[in-house]
Amino acid sequence: MDRKRWKRMARWAPAAVVAMLALSGCGFLQGRQSVLDPAGPVAQGQLGLIESSFWIMIEIFIVVAAVLVVALIRFRARPGQTDLPPQVHGDNRLEFLWTIVPALLLALLAVGTVKQSFADTGSPLVPHSMVVQVTGHQFWWAFTYPSLGVVTANELHVPVGQKIELALTSADVLHSFWVPRLAGKTDLVPGKINYIWFQADKPGLYYGQCAEFCGTGHADMRLIVDAQTPAKFSQWVATMSHPDSTPTTALAKAGEKLFGTIGCSTCHTVGGTTFAGAVGPNLTDLTGRLMIAANTYPNTPKNLYNWVHDAPAMKPGVLMPSFSYLKPPQVKALVAFLESLK
Amino acid sequence: MAATTERIPHVIPRSDAYHENKLLSWLSVVDHKRIAQLYLMAGLLFFLTGGIEAFIMRLQLAHPNGHVVSAVLFNQLFTMHGTTMIFLAIMPMLIGFVNAVLPLQIGARDVAYPRLNALSFWLFLAGGLLLNSSWFLGGAPNAGWFNYVPISNPPYSPGLGVDFYDIGLQIAGIGTLMTGINFLVTLVNLRAPGMRLMRLPMFAWTVLVTMVLILFAFPPLTVTLFLQTFERLFGAQFFSVAAGGNPLLWSNMFWIFGHPEVYILILPAFGIISEVVPVFSRKPLFGYTSMVLATLAIGFLSFMVWVHHMFTLGYGPFVNSIFALTSMMIAIPTGVKVFNWLATMWGGQIRFTTSMLWAIGFLFCFVLGGMSGVMLAIAPADLQYNNSYFVVAHFHYVLIGGTLFALFAGIYYWFPKMTGRMLSERLGKWNFWLTLIGFNITFFPMHFLGLMGMPRRIYTYAPGNGFTFWNEVSTFGVFILAAGILFFLVNLVTSLQRGEKAANDPWDARSLEWSISSPAPPYNFAKIPLVRGADPFWLEKMHGNGHMLPAPGQEHHHGPPNTVHMPRPTMIPLIIAVALLILGYGFIYHALVVEIVGFMVLAVGLHRSMFTPDPGEYVPIEEEPAEEVGADG
Amino acid sequence: MANPAVTASQTGPEVVAALEPVDNAVLGLWIWLSAEAVFFASLIGTYLLMRTHTNHGLTPKQVFDLPVTLVGTLTLLASSMTFAIGYAQLRAGRLARFRSWLIVTVILGLGFLSFQAFEFTGDYKRGLTLSSSPFGSAFFTLTGFHGMHVAFGVFWLLSLLVYSFRPAFKTEGVTKAQVAGLYWHFVDVVWVVIFSVVYLLGKVG
């Protein structure tokens, strides 16, 4: 009878495993930020560890749960029981067994852990890599390409198939750089530089966001990595190196003037102009960006208008002040100028 | 240092005012069992506060771009939720159980320092009230429960919220440290004759190790809270990068405290499970010695794993590997415990009381939490999990599925001994099943959300990330979870008023607390019992006459006949706690007058505690023949 | 309850059970001091991390005055010795001599505190303050907390002195003095560590 119960249990176990597999591997857990859908070697290696540890854990869980369920059924108290069950105090061999077996399984995991730890970590010596300096700000990202002389914000452009090394630091509080499909996160610490590397295997947009609480705007400090073919990436670098920031329409020219007089330029740099503020995001080639407000809103003229008019209303905690005192034509002029940055 | 005063020869009348006036009797309380009730009630109130905070957050996150609360309020909510649950709900409730049970289990009449025990409680309450008063005084702290710098430093958190955090936790933390000292001395000195260390109930062992952890883990917290207080209030420069300070000093100091703190929260829960499982399996605990060793190993290892909270801070592969390995090692003794519990059930006669159901629920959920814990220990994989909802899922499985379920197992188990009444088993089963189901629906999807890339501590998320479905499921689960907790509250209130009267030993249990009446009399044991082996009460039931024998050497008694000399109620602990509360507000508001008042009250309190030694009072022994009670002076 | 133990006419002592190899107060103090040791270890660790972070300001070498510090150190060390002599007198039953040595100890403790006040005012005059640099912050926090412990110790010893005139002191005095002494010696030992790690290392490193 007990054996029969065991068999019934055994029949259920594979079903449970399949269910777990379905839950873990299935498409509905994938998304544009999913750890389970790696797009580069670093995230791939990390997923490998996640999966192997997951399977070991599931096996142990099934053993524990099965023993527990069998014990609960088989050894439940029955009415009329008066005799005492055997008062067993322990069994040295069994206790030794369940000390040593988990230890061996953990040793297995430990080997992979140490290997991957050393493989993931960037250093200034990762060969054939392109270095990008990443600086976290409340609540946006600054990207500097020292070898290319390019500075941009919030959208990180990289060529596919090449090792990218990031030198991470922060201008204010702790932040964390996390693009799950490319690599696990690493913190941006003021006064310290952390190195990591990643590589995108296929062109595309990879989403991420700040993963260390950094203040009111933490949830809206989002990230896009735009992995491009080498040709397209070179084109982007060329645009950024020789930006066309000269306004053509009268409205845009008025906007350019306002940009300098009402204070925009004390914070923002615009390549190809004399505006060289260093507090807020660099706005060079703004029309090339997909999103504004650290990737919180699509880059449309309407959003841009609302943003210039009253940024704090769109993104709580943003350090850019409200310009709601400006008259609509003035805001329109500023937007026209921003729309001309190519 | 109250307590021992058998040298005072004359009869001291009972301090009637403190006994007859209900309010005064609570304010002057020194009895560990009543202090336990205060801890449990205050802990429950803070638990409900933290629960409401969590509920609001789940409403906000039910849909992308939610508008239930603002970003500013959300950040205060999650900070206060974590801080409240850990420092003001779970830990005090555990300390409540320690107070309620430990002296009874080791055959003592109270703790070593009853006044200090009261002071510990009042300090916890003062700290908790001070911290929560920030809601009404300009905004709660909003830098997360581990309050990392620089975000919590003046330029980025200019309000008073973080000051309330620093000073509130400081006051509560001093109380906890005193609890640690008090129970260590109690465990060393007040064990009944024959209660050798290797005969201690497993709960007492876990308390012993927990108190050692408190003793060594809280001073670093005290120091780092002081460092930040000085930085925020007096302009010191420990963490400011501009002046050459180091923000990672806080991270390290906090987690050197914070990781042992995690085990402070789980070890007593292990202890409760180790009491409940044998009783309802009608078998002794399997592998007592290996359980003791596992508890010691967990306690020891808990001090060498703190960096696993900071794998993403960039300490490099070497440091990360070492801390990954030590973290994984904790799974070994924890596994030993789980297998020993299973082996205890195996071959027994399992009774599915509500208490046992909670213990079984604990086993399932805690094991899941432990498994995700091992996964988190793998440093490179943790780079993906860290600060994501996967971590949120993990620690709720450990803290709710682990500690809270064990607390429920404990309350259903010990409620008869604490109150003299039984909790309703029928309501209890509703309480259990709704909580279990609601908990899993709420928190299991968070594993998925973490793997899908959802960071914790975000007040909103974009629709395009695909987080919506599982967030909806999670918020749905909270309603079931809340209903489960509601059933507990109903059970608590109705059972306190008209619950079934409890027998002295309703569960056919094994340890000393079940050998005395329910509820326990003020002096616990009319005669200190003689412990003749492990599971002493069971031993007497099986091989003796079913009653504890009195320990020899108790014939000599100075006071009136049929009395026990017990500590006298006093307001001094309350006065000292109020003094620190006043001082706290004084420092937060830079109000010199308030500070001076606080110091003066403190000086009065300390002076009185030094120069008014406890004369004690003679408490009559209950259930004595009437003529003998009348002889009490 | 039908416990036969209760029906016996005699009842037990009180809270304390039969096992009591070490006095509650003494054991509690040792346990408290172990927490205090971790407290000071954390502060010393902080100081070691911060001592080179001088924010382009005064360095340990420029600030510390070894001869003056040595006088303060010897004062505190001497106070430990005078207390030990006094305690021996108390154990021998010579209460009056105990009181005299206690007074000497208190005076030496106050002497150490005045050394510290002298040192702190000098530092502030020269520009090393709690907020001037991480080094300054860590230095004043560590030595300040130690000073507060000394001040609390002086308060405690004075209380002991007052208490020694009460009748109860005859029975409880030795334990009370032992506990106060343990604390006082501990604070002294911590200063020896601070003297080495802060002042000597500061002059060398």
Side-chain angles (χ1 to χ4, degrees), chain C residues 81-99:
Chain C
M81 204 173 68
T82 55
F83 185 91
I85 297 170
Y87 181 65
Q89 301 292 342
L90 178 68
R91 295 201 66 152
R94 294 188 280 269
L95 196 55
R97 288 193 188 181
F98 163 69
R99 286 192 192 118

Side-chain angles (χ1 to χ4, degrees), chain B residues 190-247:
Chain B
L190 299 197
R191 281 173 288 130
M195 181 59 88
R196 298 200 287 260
L197 280 180
M198 290 311 278
R199 287 177 179 174
L200 278 179
M202 192 47 60
F203 179 70
W205 261 111
T206 59
V207 171
L208 179 64
V209 175
T210 302
M211 296 305 158
V212 174
L213 295 190
I214 286 178
L215 193 68
F216 293 131
F218 269 74
L221 176 72
T222 307
V223 166
T224 201
L225 287 174
F226 271 132
L227 299 187
Q228 188 170 53
T229 306
F230 291 174
E231 181 135 345
R232 289 184 60 92
L233 298 181
F234 312 127
Q237 304 280 352
F238 293 102
F239 310 117
S240 152
V241 179
N246 188 346

Side-chain angles (χ1 to χ4, degrees), chain B residues 1 3-7 107-114 177 180-181 184-185 188-195 215-217 219-220 222-223 226-227 230 234-240 242-246 249 253 504 515-517 526-528 545 547-550 552-557 560-567 603 606-607 610-613 621-624 628, chain C residues 1-47 49-50 52-56 124 129-142 145 148 152 155-164 166 168 171-172 175-176 179:
Chain B
M1 327 235 149
T4 72
T5 36
E6 72 270 53
R7 299 158 194 107
R109 288 194 171 133
D110 206 315
V111 296
Y113 314 118
L177 186 62
I181 296 168
L184 280 174
V185 178
V188 172
N189 270 357
L190 299 197
R191 281 173 288 130
M195 181 59 88
L215 193 68
F216 293 131
T222 307
V223 166
F226 271 132
L227 299 187
F230 291 174
F234 312 127
Q237 304 280 352
F238 293 102
F239 310 117
S240 152
N246 188 346
L249 174 64
M253 292 275 263
N504 290 352
S515 70
I516 55 176
S517 58
K527 287 270 186 184
I528 300 293
N545 66 355
H547 301 291
M548 298 308 298
L549 301 175
Q554 298 184 60
E555 293 75 26
H556 199 56
H557 178 59
N562 296 319
T563 61
V564 177
H565 193 200
M566 293 299 292
L606 285 179
H607 175 86
M610 276 177 162
F611 289 103
T612 342
I621 291 175
E622 293 164 13
E623 291 165 280
E624 284 294 301
E628 291 202 47
Chain C
M1 191 161 97
N3 192 330
V6 181
T7 57
S9 60
Q10 290 294 319
T11 49
E14 63 284 310
V15 171
V16 184
L19 269 181
E20 204 179 348
V22 186
D23 184 273
N24 268 2
V26 176
L27 180 66
L29 196 91
W30 274 109
I31 292 175
W32 177 36
L33 290 185
S34 63
E36 286 270 21
V38 181
F39 176 85
F40 277 108
S42 305
L43 283 173
I44 290 170
T46 303
Y47 174 80
L49 192 71
M50 294 300 172
T52 53
H53 298 227
T54 52
N55 198 15
H56 315 294
Y124 263 73
T129 68
L130 184 71
S131 54
S132 65
S133 68
F135 158 61
S137 305
F139 170 73
F140 286 110
T141 304
L142 171 58
F145 266 115
M148 278 168 60
F152 181 73
F155 174 69
W156 192 342
L157 296 181
L158 280 173
S159 310
L160 191 67
L161 187 64
V162 175
Y163 195 68
S164 73
R166 295 207 175 184
T171 49
E172 298 176 343
T175 311
K176 295 240 177 223
V179 169

Side-chain angles (χ1 to χ4, degrees), chain B residues 284-301:
Chain B
L285 184 65
F286 191 94
Y288 178 90
T289 311
S290 61
M291 284 299 227
V292 171
L293 292 176
T295 310
L296 292 171
I298 292 172
F300 178 73
L301 285 172

Side-chain angles (χ1 to χ4, degrees), chain B residues 523-546:
Chain B
Y523 43 81
N524 299 350
F525 298 92
K527 287 270 186 184
I528 300 293
L530 177 67
V531 175
R532 298 201 286 173
D535 288 347
F537 185 44
W538 182 263
L539 196 73
E540 300 298 337
K541 285 193 286 187
M542 290 297 125
H543 304 292
N545 66 355

Side-chain angles (χ1 to χ4, degrees), chain A residues 296-311:
Chain A
T296 308
Y297 293 94
N299 186 1
T300 63
K302 187 167 174 278
N303 282 336
L304 213 46
Y305 179 93
N306 290 337
W307 182 257
V308 172
H309 172 67
D310 191 0

Side-chain angles (χ1 to χ4, degrees), chain A residues 40-42 119-134 143-148 156-168 177 182-183 194-201 206 225-228 230 233:
Chain A
V42 174
D120 283 355
T121 310
S123 75
L125 300 171
V126 174
H128 315 299
S129 66
M130 186 180 85
V131 178
V132 184
Q133 294 166 352
V134 182
F143 301 116
T144 308
Y145 300 69
S147 57
L148 304 172
L156 176 63
H157 290 252
V158 297
V160 292
Q162 193 184 337
K163 282 183 180 172
I164 312 297
E165 183 167 331
L166 301 182
L168 307 164
F177 183 95
L182 296 176
N194 284 333
Y195 295 94
I196 60 164
W197 72 276
F198 70 88
Q199 176 180 315
D201 289 338
Y206 300 98
V225 175
D226 189 351
Q228 299 170 301
F233 179 73

Side-chain angles (χ1 to χ4, degrees), chain B residues 303-590:
Chain B
F303 282 98
M304 24 203 62
V305 299
W306 81 91
V307 172
H308 76 209
H309 296 270
M310 310 185 289
F311 281 150
T312 62
L313 270 177
Y315 282 115
F318 186 70
V319 172
N320 281 6
S321 295
I322 288 176
F323 281 89
L325 298 190
T326 54
S327 305
M328 285 183 195
M329 271 156 70
I330 288 198
I332 300 170
T334 312
V336 168
K337 281 184 168 278
V338 170
F339 287 114
N340 280 343
W341 288 321
L342 292 177
T344 305
M345 292 185 197
W346 196 268
Q349 294 165 1
I350 299 168
R351 285 177 288 163
F352 292 96
T353 57
T354 306
S355 175
M356 186 63 176
L357 286 180
W358 283 111
I360 296 163
F362 165 96
L363 276 172
F364 271 110
C365 297
F366 175 74
V367 167
L368 281 175
M371 315 241 124
S372 55
V374 174
M375 292 172 74
L376 284 163
I378 300 168
D382 180 69
L383 299 185
Q384 291 284 20
Y385 309 129
N386 187 288
N387 267 343
S388 79
Y389 261 82
F390 192 89
V391 175
V392 178
H394 160 71
F395 62 68
H396 283 95
Y397 265 82
V398 177
L399 285 180
I400 297 181
T403 306
L404 188 69
F405 282 18
L407 282 170
F408 273 124
I411 193 81
Y412 280 91
Y413 180 63
W414 279 307
F415 192 80
K417 190 54 64 185
M418 291 184 203
T419 65
R421 290 181 186 274
M422 310 289 287
L423 279 168
S424 156
E425 287 282 308
R426 198 169 51 88
L427 289 173
K429 275 164 193 162
W430 279 98
N431 170 209
F432 169 71
W433 285 108
L434 286 175
T435 308
L436 180 78
I437 293 166
F439 161 70
N440 279 293
I441 295 179
T442 306
F443 291 99
F444 205 83
M446 291 186 184
H447 293 107
F448 303 151
L449 287 170
L451 293 173
M452 291 172 81
M454 181 166 166
R456 70 198 279 201
R457 298 179 170 176
I458 54 172
Y459 77 97
T460 193
Y461 51 91
N465 287 342
F467 301 156
T468 313
F469 175 71
W470 290 116
N471 273 303
E472 283 169 345
V473 172
S474 177
T475 301
F476 167 71
V478 165
F479 285 90
I480 305 178
L481 180 58
I485 302 296
L486 212 61
F487 267 98
F488 173 70
L489 296 178
V490 172
N491 198 354
L492 185 69
V493 172
T494 54
S495 298
L496 272 175
Q497 285 170 357
R498 42 173 205 274
E500 187 193 332
K501 284 252 189 290
N504 290 352
D505 180 21
W507 312 119
D508 190 15
R510 316 178 78 87
S511 41
L512 280 178
E513 70 268 32
W514 304 103
S515 70
I516 55 176
S517 58
S518 295
Y523 43 81
N524 299 350
F525 298 92
K527 287 270 186 184
I528 300 293
L530 177 67
V531 175
R532 298 201 286 173
D535 288 347
F537 185 44
W538 182 263
L539 196 73
E540 300 298 337
K541 285 193 286 187
M542 290 297 125
H543 304 292
N545 66 355
H547 301 291
M548 298 308 298
L549 301 175
Q554 298 184 60
E555 293 75 26
H556 199 56
H557 178 59
H558 290 291
N562 296 319
T563 61
V564 177
H565 193 200
M566 293 299 292
R568 193 183 185 83
T570 167
M571 301 284 248
I572 294 172
L574 181 64
I575 293 170
I576 295 177
V578 168
L580 284 177
L581 187 66
I582 297 171
L583 264 178
Y585 281 109
F587 279 116
I588 290 173
Y589 287 101
H590 295 273

